[in-house]
Amino acid sequence: MKILNRTAARDAQTVTYMDSSSTASHKVLRNTYMLLSLTLLFSALTAGATVAFAIPGPGVLLTIVGYFALLFATTKLQNSSWGIAAVFGLTGFMGYTLGPMLTRYLGMPGGSTIVMTAMAMTGVIFMALSAYVLISKRDFSFIGGFLAVGMLLAFVASLAAMFFQIPALSLTISTVVVLLMSGMILYETSNIIHGGETNYIMATVSLYVTIYNLFSSLLHLLGVVEKE
C-alpha cells in the first residue's frame, strides 16, 4: 500500500511538473509573439521613414558592426527591463538598413508589387510553418546544427558575392537563405514550445532576424524575376 502511495505521489509530481512546464512555454510563446509584433511594426516605421526622407544607408561595414554591437547588448541585457529597449534598438536599426533596399526596389518598374508580394510571401511562410509546429508539436531541435553551419556558410558566401559582384552566386545564396530561414522558423518555434528557449527577448530576436532575412531574400529573388 505504501509503495502504491509513493508511486501515485511521484506520478502526481510528474503531472504537476509537466503542467508547469507547459504553462511556462505558453507564456514565453505569448510574450514572444507580442514583442515580435511590436518590433516588426517599429522596424516597418523606421524603414518607411528611411524611404520617405531618402536617408542613405549605413554601408556594409557599419551595418555589420551595428548589428553585432546591438545584438551583443541585447544578449547582455536579456534578463532585465533594458533588454526590451535593446530589442527595439536592434530592430529599429535593422529597419533603417532595410530602407535603402526598399527604395531601390520601389524605383523599379512594378517595384511596389515586388515589395508587397515579398511581404505577403514572408507572412504566409511564417504563419504556415509556425502553425504546423504548434499543431503537430513536433520537435525540430535535430536540425539546429545543420542550420547553424548553413547560415555560417551563407554569410561567408554572401560577403564574397557582394565584394566580387557575382550575380549568379548572389541569386543562389538568396534561394538557400529562404530555405534556411524556413528551417529556422520550424526550429525556433519548436524550441520555444518544448522549453529550449525560456527567454522571450532572445526568442523575439531570433524570429525577427529570421523574418528579416526571409523577406530580404524573397525581395531579391522577385526582383531578379521581374527584371527578366
Side-chain angles (χ1 to χ4, degrees):
M1 192 67 177
K2 290 182 179 179
I3 295 175
L4 291 176
N5 288 337
R6 285 198 296 268
T7 302
R10 283 198 299 269
D11 290 343
Q13 289 175 349
T14 301
V15 171
T16 301
Y17 172 78
M18 291 176 65
D19 288 342
S20 175
S21 178
S22 177
T23 300
S25 296
H26 281 114
K27 183 178 179 181
V28 173
L29 185 66
R30 183 181 67 250
N31 290 341
T32 297
Y33 281 165
M34 185 180 300
L35 184 57
L36 180 64
S37 299
L38 293 174
T39 53
L40 286 171
L41 177 60
F42 181 65
S43 184
L45 291 174
T46 306
T50 304
V51 173
F53 295 104
I55 301 174
V60 177
L61 182 59
L62 185 57
T63 295
I64 294 173
V65 172
Y67 168 73
F68 282 107
L70 289 166
L71 180 62
F72 176 78
T74 303
T75 304
K76 294 293 289 184
L77 298 170
Q78 62 179 287
N79 295 313
S80 73
S81 57
W82 286 104
I84 296 178
V87 170
F88 278 98
L90 173 62
T91 55
F93 176 76
M94 293 185 73
Y96 159 53
T97 63
L98 189 62
M101 187 190 308
L102 292 176
T103 300
R104 184 170 69 254
Y105 283 101
L106 289 172
M108 295 171 54
S112 58
T113 301
I114 294 173
V115 173
M116 293 305 295
T117 302
M119 191 179 300
M121 290 178 67
T122 301
V124 169
I125 292 172
F126 178 76
M127 289 188 291
L129 294 177
S130 297
Y132 173 72
V133 177
L134 294 173
I135 294 171
S136 69
K137 298 291 192 299
R138 284 194 60 184
D139 186 353
F140 284 92
S141 60
F142 65 92
I143 65 174
F146 169 78
L147 292 173
V149 173
M151 286 189 291
L152 178 61
L153 293 176
F155 176 72
V156 173
S158 64
L159 291 179
M162 189 180 303
F163 286 112
F164 295 106
Q165 298 294 311
I166 308 174
L169 178 59
S170 181
L171 187 62
T172 302
I173 292 169
S174 293
T175 304
V176 171
V177 170
V178 169
L179 297 175
L180 288 172
M181 293 306 105
S182 297
M184 280 298 297
I185 294 171
L186 295 172
Y187 173 79
E188 291 296 343
T189 306
S190 169
N191 205 25
I192 294 171
I193 66 173
H194 289 100
E197 178 58 81
T198 58
N199 187 289
Y200 72 94
I201 288 179
M202 296 313 299
T204 297
V205 170
S206 296
L207 288 175
Y208 175 89
V209 172
T210 298
I211 292 171
Y212 178 98
N213 288 328
L214 179 60
F215 172 69
S216 57
S217 296
L218 287 171
L219 201 58
H220 181 218
L221 291 173
L222 291 170
V224 172
V225 171
E226 184 66 25
K227 285 180 181 179
E228 295 180 354

